[in-house]
Amino acid sequence: MDEKRVCTGRYFMMGNVACAEGAMAAGCEFAAGYPITPATEVANHLAEKLPQVGGAFFQMEDEISSIAAVIGASWAGKKAMTVTSGPGISLMLENIGFAIGVETPCVIVNVQRGAPSTGMPTIGIQGDMVQAKHGSHGDYEIIALCPSSPQEMFEHTVIAFNYAEKYRTPVFLLSDAFVGHMREEVVIPEADKIKTIYRKIPELGTDPLKLKGFLDENVAPMPIFGKGFKAHVTSSCHDEYGKRNLIDISALDKFVRKLSDKILKHKEEITLVERDYEGAEVVLVSYGGVSRAAAEAVLQARKKGIAAGTLRLITVWPFPGEEIEKMARKAKHVIVLENNLGQIYPYIKAEAAHFSEVSFLPPKLVGEIQDPEDILKKIEEISK
Amino acid sequence: MSELVHPYHRFIRPTVTHSSFCPGCGDGTIAQSILRAIDGLDMDMDDFVFVSGIGCAAWIPSPLFNADVLHTTHGRPIAFAFGIKMGLTEKKVMVVSGDGDLVAIGGNHLIQNARRNIEMVVICSNNGIYGMTGGQAAPTTPMGVKTTTTPYGTFENVFEDISGLVIAAGASFVARWTTGHPRQLTASIKKAIQKKGFAFIEVISQCPVQFGRKMGVGNAVQMLEDYKNRSISIQEAKKLSKEELKGRIVVGELVDLDKPEMVEEVTRMRKKAMGGAEAAVDTGRS
Amino acid sequence: MATLRIYNELCKGAEECGICLYVCKEEVFQPSETMNQKGYRPPVIVNEDQCTQCENCMIFCPDLAIVVSEKKQKKGSQ
């Protein structure tokens, strides 16, 4: 990767700025968005940095056009991203479905804030977790990463771009106001230590009539615009050549399944978790900023001689059910921690309840990450 | 003796056997006018990326034109086209869609990109109705007309001057024709393609099935005759009062001016960001 | 070479559409009873020698179903 793009060094950096630096390092060339708290710093930083390497950030008229422009730029062959918060995602959902339907690599950063509706902009909650998976209409699979620190805002943004390009799909970075606005040490490695992936495109000169540019579980090469591929790109039901088919139900079945299978087939290599539950009877399952409190509580519990552990989901989507099962088979009690009223809890419970006791510990106040002391109390209660 | 071959069939996607329009639909005439303009400029389909939205007119380029075509969501083609143009500045980006798509659901993208004066051609087929969904009232449906969603007649004021809106928003080229003016339309499309800026062409187009037949306006031929009778050139129209122009269709090239164009302004901005150095077009990819 | 050609299978009918008949000043076309595969009745060419090659029928046709041969350039014209 171009050294101009990677600001190697040790910094005391805000999570949102680290995200923008991650995008730079990943090779982002085009960003579009609309100002919104608590995500704006990402846009501000990209607006400053992208033009220096020949890219640009564009402030659009709304979030609908932001994601539309990102998809357009991606089809023009650019690595592209948008950044927003929950209200913006709500506006983007139709076009996110479009991006999935026509297999468009792009990164969508959601710095989640107090919700529903306009909610409380500067407070972080994990309120849009299921929206990312089910917000747009129809069956589809998505990839979503949940950073828990400014360092991970950098690293996960790079991974998000790599996943987007590799699997030709939108990838969510589900951060929140706490992680986005948190300032911590961020170490940015040297350019040659950062792995970047670019989408495959068909061989130039391929006969457009023979070009299979869609619906391959192993990810079809993307017939990007401007290369003479004469791509017909429609999110209406189509075949592997991109040809629209609005009559045949078996074509719809193939359309739906192939899109999903493309992600599910590669679930194992996509899934990222952090396991620290060797010999643990009580395992805390969490993701994002909340996992910091979980780690602290487990540390305290272990000091008291309680066999506690953690499982942190880094990729929440595709849902790592196998990882949950593997953990639950060994644990006696599973405590799910989220900064919401229990969005991923039902998914975890469905996988774990057959093997262990599963409970949910909500935050005392939604918008306030669980106090490690409270988590510890719960662990002690359970392990009595 | 060799058989005559249609000169524009070479622009049609080989997998397309026929256009998807109803008999007598003006959208087909618009399609040919676009292809005639491209041919007239000695350009190739690979010089273009076409973008369309949802509705009958969106099917003008999709899948008909043998080129890169992005068929987008309802109302958003101009927003998608923005990203494509910024990524492929050397290509001509042309949006073709209807009045419902571009002006009703997608109105703000039309306004804001006309304001930006980003180089692209937007062709709006204005048939005054939602045709594809079965003849519902559009903002462009005249007041009092019975449609499937206004069985007692439309009770909203009609959007009379789409072109006027785009002019006010700041587009550098705006023309209005009807499908009764295919030669003039082609000439304007040629100019629009060459324009450094946002070029908008409104084409009043007949929908004989959902508009003409149901509303008693007539078939395709009667609608074309009506356009012919009601059309008045912008030069002539300037001599008439607002009252005298009631019910008339003002046609011609309404605006053609030079002003800062966005892609060029972005290049200038990048140079500034790079400290005056030449802006690199490539961004780190080999 | 013929002056005109109708692609019968692309045509959507003289009755349903009929634009070519309307725009032709020389009454070169006439409706016919013969149906194409789509069930439309394309017009037939009856007065080809009257055709002035104005191209109206071709340019107006919404289905790219008519082609008119190019006008022979008069000597000395552009």
Side-chain angles (χ1 to χ4, degrees):
Chain A
M1 183 41 65
D2 191 339
E3 281 178 20
K4 271 188 291 184
R5 288 180 155 273
V6 183
C7 63
T8 306
R10 276 182 70 197
Y11 301 89
F12 184 63
M13 194 179 266
M14 186 199 270
N16 280 345
V17 174
C19 171
E21 288 296 341
M24 293 294 296
C28 176
E29 298 161 289
F30 180 99
Y34 188 85
I36 185 167
T37 305
T40 314
E41 295 85 2
V42 183
N44 293 354
H45 202 68
L46 286 170
E48 187 191 331
K49 297 294 288 280
L50 275 173
Q52 296 173 3
V53 293
F57 168 83
F58 296 102
Q59 186 172 316
M60 302 300 289
E61 52 270 23
D62 53 30
E63 285 87 349
I64 297 172
S65 48
S66 300
I67 183 72
V70 162
I71 297 166
S74 184
W75 275 95
K78 303 291 177 191
K79 280 194 174 183
M81 71 176 285
T82 183
V83 54
T84 186
S85 188
I89 299 289
S90 292
L91 284 176
M92 288 180 187
L93 283 167
E94 185 193 17
N95 284 339
I96 291 172
F98 179 88
I100 290 160
V102 300
E103 303 175 61
T104 310
C106 59
V107 171
I108 302 160
V109 178
N110 179 0
V111 187
Q112 298 168 90
R113 68 183 220 180
S117 192
T118 40
M120 196 177 278
T122 53
I123 296 301
I125 64 166
Q126 298 172 324
D128 313 337
M129 300 305 297
V130 176
Q131 181 196 45
K133 171 69 178 77
H134 290 293
S136 202
H137 49 284
D139 281 313
Y140 61 88
E141 291 296 328
I142 194 94
I143 301 175
L145 294 146
C146 293
S148 67
S149 66
Q151 179 68 40
E152 287 187 345
M153 285 292 275
F154 176 88
E155 290 167 7
H156 288 190
T157 304
V158 176
I159 297 171
F161 270 100
N162 287 347
Y163 279 177
E165 296 282 320
K166 188 170 181 187
Y167 303 109
R168 257 183 82 182
T169 182
V171 175
F172 272 99
L173 190 76
L174 294 174
S175 177
D176 65 45
F178 293 143
V179 179
H181 284 164
M182 187 186 293
R183 285 177 169 83
E184 254 183 1
E185 182 185 71
V186 172
V187 179
I188 297 178
E190 278 157 15
D192 59 4
K193 299 279 189 315
I194 297 170
K195 187 188 164 201
T196 54
I197 295 174
Y198 286 91
R199 70 196 68 170
K200 282 198 186 99
I201 69 166
E203 203 177 312
L204 295 183
T206 306
D207 178 359
L209 291 173
K210 291 183 181 146
L211 205 160
K212 291 188 183 181
F214 301 91
L215 302 185
D216 183 343
E217 294 126 324
N218 291 319
V219 192
M222 184 174 178
I224 56 172
F225 295 157
K227 304 278 184 197
F229 296 134
K230 298 184 186 298
H232 181 229
V233 184
T234 171
S235 70
S236 293
C237 175
H238 52 263
D239 65 14
E240 57 266 49
Y241 297 96
K243 189 170 190 242
R244 183 163 28 208
N245 185 336
L246 304 181
I247 302 162
D248 183 2
I249 296 178
S250 65
L252 179 66
D253 180 82
K254 196 174 163 195
F255 175 61
V256 176
R257 284 182 204 273
K258 291 270 179 183
L259 288 175
S260 283
D261 289 349
K262 185 179 70 174
I263 304 298
L264 295 176
K265 191 178 173 186
H266 301 96
K267 190 170 163 184
E268 213 177 308
E269 58 189 72
I270 292 168
T271 297
L272 297 170
V273 296
E274 210 171 74
R275 308 180 198 96
D276 180 19
Y277 56 77
E278 195 57 40
E281 292 186 356
V282 183
V283 180
L284 307 181
V285 182
S286 61
Y287 54 85
V290 175
S291 57
R292 299 166 71 108
E296 176 61 24
V298 162
L299 196 73
Q300 298 304 324
R302 283 173 179 168
K303 278 183 187 163
K304 294 189 171 196
I306 303 170
T310 56
L311 173 62
R312 173 160 84 99
L313 311 182
I314 294 172
T315 50
V316 168
W317 307 115
F319 184 68
E322 296 79 1
E323 284 290 338
I324 300 292
E325 186 188 322
K326 204 159 73 182
M327 172 276 302
R329 279 176 181 277
K330 293 179 181 170
K332 278 188 185 157
H333 301 278
V334 173
I335 304 172
V336 180
L337 302 165
E338 300 177 70
N339 188 7
N340 55 40
L341 295 180
Q343 293 206 359
I344 304 298
Y345 171 54
Y347 295 86
I348 297 171
K349 195 173 177 183
E351 300 291 342
H354 186 65
F355 310 103
S356 59
E357 292 289 327
V358 187
S359 59
F360 178 62
L361 180 63
K364 231 183 228 166
L365 302 171
V366 172
E368 190 178 72
I369 288 176
Q370 287 84 340
D371 188 330
E373 288 293 322
D374 295 334
I375 304 171
L376 183 62
K377 265 185 221 156
K378 173 89 174 177
I379 295 172
E380 287 177 316
E381 227 171 78
I382 279 176
S383 47
K384 255 177 205 164
Chain B
M1 214 160 69
S2 65
E3 207 172 18
L4 272 178
V5 174
H6 200 295
Y8 308 136
H9 283 186
R10 66 192 158 94
F11 292 141
I12 303 301
R13 195 174 288 277
T15 49
V16 177
T17 52
H18 59 277
S19 82
S20 46
F21 307 117
C22 300
C25 175
D27 287 345
T29 311
I30 298 172
Q32 190 183 168
S33 299
I34 295 168
L35 298 178
R36 185 173 289 270
I38 292 169
D39 186 57
L41 290 171
D42 277 328
M43 294 178 82
D44 189 86
M45 291 304 257
D46 285 346
D47 297 329
F48 288 83
V49 177
F50 295 93
V51 189
S52 66
I54 298 295
C56 303
W59 289 61
I60 291 175
S62 165
L64 203 60
F65 290 180
N66 196 25
D68 288 331
V69 180
L70 187 67
H71 196 138
T72 72
T73 50
H74 197 19
R76 319 300 168 199
I78 297 176
F80 283 87
F82 176 97
I84 295 170
K85 182 65 188 177
M86 285 302 171
L88 285 170
T89 51
E90 73 282 11
K91 296 286 174 188
K92 297 289 180 184
V93 175
M94 187 186 285
V95 173
V96 190
S97 226
D99 52 299
D101 191 73
L102 295 172
V103 188
I105 183 170
N108 198 26
H109 309 306
L110 177 65
I111 294 169
Q112 299 305 330
N113 285 288
R115 169 185 64 78
R116 291 180 177 117
N117 199 35
I118 177 172
E119 186 194 325
M120 65 170 73
V121 181
V122 177
I123 295 178
C124 175
S125 168
N126 180 359
N127 62 4
I129 197 82
Y130 284 93
M132 187 170 273
T133 43
Q136 292 78 23
T140 44
T141 306
M143 206 171 188
V145 169
K146 286 182 183 173
T147 72
T148 49
T149 47
T150 57
Y152 308 106
T154 51
F155 38 84
E156 294 183 27
N157 283 297
V158 63
F159 202 144
E160 275 176 343
D161 191 2
I162 294 171
S163 292
L165 172 85
V166 182
I167 292 168
S172 59
F173 182 89
V174 178
R176 184 195 290 115
W177 297 106
T178 78
T179 43
H181 305 86
R183 287 186 169 86
Q184 297 91 327
L185 174 60
T186 299
S188 286
I189 295 172
K190 278 188 191 171
K191 280 191 191 169
I193 290 170
Q194 292 169 299
K195 188 75 196 174
K196 268 262 166 267
F198 192 86
F200 179 81
I201 301 176
E202 178 186 357
V203 193
I204 311 295
S205 172
Q206 76 274 13
C207 170
V209 174
Q210 301 295 359
F211 196 98
R213 194 161 67 192
K214 282 195 184 161
M215 291 172 207
V217 188
N219 59 21
V221 166
Q222 287 163 320
M223 290 182 82
L224 282 174
E225 181 70 17
D226 174 58
Y227 292 163
K228 196 170 98 183
N229 294 335
R230 287 200 291 131
S231 292
I232 178 169
S233 76
I234 174 74
Q235 290 79 10
E236 288 299 311
K238 277 178 181 161
K239 297 174 198 157
L240 300 180
S241 69
K242 217 176 168 188
E243 202 51 41
E244 288 169 306
L245 283 173
K246 221 169 174 205
R248 306 297 297 271
I249 305 167
V250 180
V251 295
E253 287 167 5
L254 311 175
V255 157
D256 186 357
L257 47 88
D258 293 316
K259 58 191 292 189
E261 189 278 323
M262 191 180 178
V263 178
E264 287 182 347
E265 293 304 313
V266 170
T267 307
R268 225 188 298 279
M269 177 274 290
R270 281 197 189 110
K271 276 185 185 162
K272 205 189 277 179
M274 291 173 177
E278 277 298 299
V281 181
D282 207 321
T283 53
R285 192 183 302 188
S286 58
Chain C
M1 195 195 267
T3 321
L4 279 167
R5 176 183 173 191
I6 299 173
Y7 289 81
N8 284 325
E9 290 310 318
L10 294 180
C11 177
K12 291 191 180 135
E15 192 188 336
E16 293 88 344
C17 172
I19 292 175
C20 52
L21 279 81
Y22 165 66
V23 296
C24 179
K25 307 277 184 287
E26 309 297 331
E27 298 183 357
V28 168
F29 304 98
Q30 199 176 289
S32 101
E33 288 303 308
T34 315
M35 232 181 240
N36 67 13
Q37 279 187 353
K38 289 236 171 269
Y40 297 118
R41 294 185 169 88
V44 286
I45 299 161
V46 287
N47 291 317
E48 190 160 358
D49 52 345
Q50 295 292 305
C51 175
T52 62
Q53 290 165 293
C54 76
E55 295 188 340
N56 263 356
C57 57
M58 172 177 168
I59 291 173
F60 274 82
C61 176
D63 295 291
L64 299 172
I66 305 176
V67 58
V68 180
S69 69
E70 273 181 68
K71 244 183 193 166
K72 291 222 172 66
Q73 297 281 310
K74 278 183 197 157
K75 269 186 189 166
S77 70
Q78 278 190 317

